[in-house]
Amino acid sequence: MMKTKILLLVLFIAVAFSAFGGGESESSVNAADAELVNPKGVYPIAKEKVTVSIFSHWNSRKMENPMTQWVADELNIEVEWAIQTREGLDDKFNVKMAADNLDDITQFYGLAGSLYGGLEAVEDGYFYPISDLFNEYGDAIPQWMNAEADMWEITRASDGKFYSVPGRPIAFDDQFKTRILIEQTWLDRLGLDMPTTTEEYFDVLVAFRDNDANGNGDPNDEFPLVASTTRPFLDFQSPLFGAFLDNFDWLHIKNGQVYNVATTEAFREALRFMNRLWEEGLVHPASMSQHRNDVRAMNDANDYTVVGSTLGQHEGYVGAPGGDTWQAYNYLPPLEGPGGINITWRAPKNLASLGTGIGAKTEVPAVAFRFLDWLSSEEGHLAKYWGIEGTHYRESKPGELNVAGEQATWTEIVENREPEWGWGHLGVIWGGTGLFHDTLRAVVKTPETVNVSGMTPDEMIYKTSVEYLKHVDSLDTIWPANIIFPPAVRTERAILGGNVNGLIYESGSKFVTGDLDLDADWAEFQGQLEAAGLERYLQICQEAWEARNK
């Protein structure tokens, strides 16, 4: 049986590919491709076997799993995996790009820092123009893009063509990347309410420090606040900043002017609060250097918890997956600061942080596009995360409710669960609403799947996200992630941005730990920002922002 190689390029980057036309390939489908692909809505996708090699970052999941075989059997797509670690991923991509030797599918995490990355790849012609494919073969992709009116413009290149399908968080709760987890049984044991302000949070942490909060008879083995470099509290996504700053991200826009929050008094007051926590001994001393796995390890080491509070995206930040440590925790609501500020960071819609493009040299663009379209469908998403209808899940019965307390669409068949099934986030595109964080799936509760408050992890995240959504910043003031920088200043901007942001993290850490004084050393810090090129950096950003908004 004939095997045809597909050249795809899937970019997981912090910018959308709306910047450039790029590419010299024609968007018409060649005769061989047209003969190989089945029409829209007809399966399998290819009439004969197609081999796809995938270059991807994935540390833990075994990708040669039952779903891979199912895709080969049912879709005629045979996948060859080339799994990479995150370290050096940009370098590996750049080498492959320079040699014009890409895998059929390449997926990136954190490519935005590369000087020769996604935007340049589009400009240099590595993507196939897919405008005609939307019309002839698009089904799921156009449907969810039509539901988000600005998605088309975010993705359209400057020549009016489309070279990629944008990505975005699937459900609104996935927009919130950092939350504060707190040990609920400690609160209950000490008779404390859930804190809602920074002062109440401070008082709770002091109580955790001064009492036998975990009930093991030793009042000195509790760590009130333990952070990690995976979700640092000295980060623009940190909920602690949201109690002081009326915006998020180091760059912000106010009255049409781009500025850096590190030059504001609000930023200094946020650091002052963090320094207060540090000086009181409420923050674990390794919080600036340890990985989240270290936090898990210290909390899982005994049959009692020692972490009172931490910053994390999900319950896996307080204990190892598969364990029961997480069951003692809840999420804090957004904390209100002394000035009444209470803002929650979210990933803006224009982040489009997963872009999917078809390689310009592919011989079968229609087959490639149909494969991406299936991965973007409800069936494709459910297959990636949970399985196949009739085997792993079924249609929900009346009264089976989802995390929102509404009638669910489908219900997991628990006895058929296959832990090794699925591709998880590798699903190429995050499209549609409610598919990832289970707003379609019925909640199945057992003693092993609920926390001390009787909620599953998905219910915990959903409930918290509903509250977070009430406190989000205006998207009009958030720095656009898909901003376009002219080639002449692209390298300069990347270098200046790295210098400025590096100084903010370095000096910010020292202000928190007391190695720098927030009063005596603040003026010098501002001078160092200017010496690092802040003024020129902001000028470049201002000009790019104005050009984008003409």
Side-chain angles (χ1 to χ4, degrees), residues 260-530:
N260 191 297
V261 298
T263 63
T264 66
E265 280 299 307
F267 180 68
R268 175 153 62 160
E269 291 309 305
L271 293 178
R272 199 180 299 278
F273 177 72
M274 295 178 187
N275 172 254
R276 182 183 171 201
L277 297 178
W278 190 278
E279 294 294 335
E280 283 289 329
L282 302 177
V283 183
H284 191 282
S287 292
M288 295 289 193
S289 58
Q290 65 187 350
H291 189 270
R292 72 174 180 185
N293 290 341
D294 300 316
V295 181
R296 291 171 174 172
M298 73 169 68
N299 219 19
D300 285 337
N302 302 286
D303 58 0
Y304 51 85
T305 57
V306 297
V307 176
S309 184
T310 193
L311 282 73
Q313 185 177 352
H314 50 71
E315 76 285 351
Y317 280 72
V318 293
D324 59 4
T325 302
W326 69 272
Q327 293 178 297
Y329 290 81
N330 273 318
Y331 295 110
L332 276 180
L335 295 174
E336 182 178 304
I341 296 175
N342 190 354
I343 299 295
T344 299
W345 184 90
R346 65 170 166 178
K349 181 162 45 178
N350 63 9
L351 183 62
S353 58
L354 175 62
T356 305
I358 298 176
K361 292 186 177 181
T362 182
E363 297 178 357
V364 283
V367 173
F369 188 86
R370 281 214 58 202
F371 185 42
L372 298 180
D373 192 78
W374 178 81
L375 287 166
S376 305
S377 69
E378 181 173 326
E379 180 188 35
H381 277 294
L382 296 178
K384 289 178 300 184
Y385 292 107
W386 309 115
I388 302 302
E389 184 175 8
T391 300
H392 303 99
Y393 66 91
R394 57 169 173 76
E395 184 177 344
S396 295
K397 300 175 182 178
E400 292 182 329
L401 306 181
N402 62 16
V403 291
E406 301 168 346
Q407 176 61 42
T409 303
W410 59 277
T411 300
E412 181 184 11
I413 303 174
V414 178
E415 58 269 25
N416 291 348
R417 180 180 298 169
E418 294 184 64
E420 294 297 324
W421 176 277
W423 295 347
H425 295 339
L426 185 67
V428 178
I429 180 166
W430 293 9
T433 301
L435 297 177
F436 181 37
H437 283 316
D438 305 325
T439 49
L440 296 180
R441 185 173 65 156
V443 174
V444 179
K445 294 188 178 184
T446 68
E448 294 75 31
T449 62
V450 296
N451 74 344
V452 66
S453 298
M455 292 186 291
T456 67
D458 294 315
E459 286 180 303
M460 293 167 61
I461 289 179
Y462 183 85
K463 179 182 178 181
T464 304
S465 300
V466 169
E467 186 63 29
Y468 277 21
L469 198 61
K470 300 174 184 177
H471 301 278
V472 294
D473 198 3
S474 169
L475 289 177
D476 295 333
T477 62
I478 296 176
W479 177 254
N482 60 339
I483 202 75
I484 302 168
F485 291 98
V489 299
R490 193 177 295 145
T491 299
E492 182 185 11
R493 183 212 64 85
I495 293 173
L496 290 174
N499 291 341
V500 169
N501 292 336
L503 180 61
I504 293 172
Y505 281 111
E506 179 184 359
S507 297
S509 298
K510 291 179 179 179
F511 281 125
V512 170
T513 60
D515 293 326
L516 289 177
D517 186 273
L518 281 160
D519 295 314
D521 298 316
W522 186 254
E524 183 178 355
F525 168 57
Q526 296 301 311
Q528 290 172 340
L529 287 174
E530 289 303 317

Side-chain angles (χ1 to χ4, degrees), residues 99-163:
D100 199 7
N101 184 32
L102 298 172
D103 287 87
D104 297 328
I105 296 178
T106 303
Q107 186 173 35
F108 293 81
Y109 293 79
L111 186 62
S114 174
L115 297 181
Y116 187 63
L119 292 174
E120 293 88 339
V122 174
E123 186 179 58
D124 293 345
Y126 284 94
F127 285 91
Y128 189 100
I130 61 176
S131 303
D132 291 350
L133 301 179
F134 275 112
N135 299 324
E136 188 168 358
Y137 297 102
D139 186 7
I141 292 174
Q143 285 185 44
W144 71 259
M145 288 183 69
N146 286 336
E148 301 285 348
D150 53 354
M151 279 292 113
W152 292 102
E153 289 308 311
I154 287 174
T155 315
R156 191 188 304 274
S158 57
D159 63 358
K161 296 179 181 180
F162 293 92
Y163 294 86

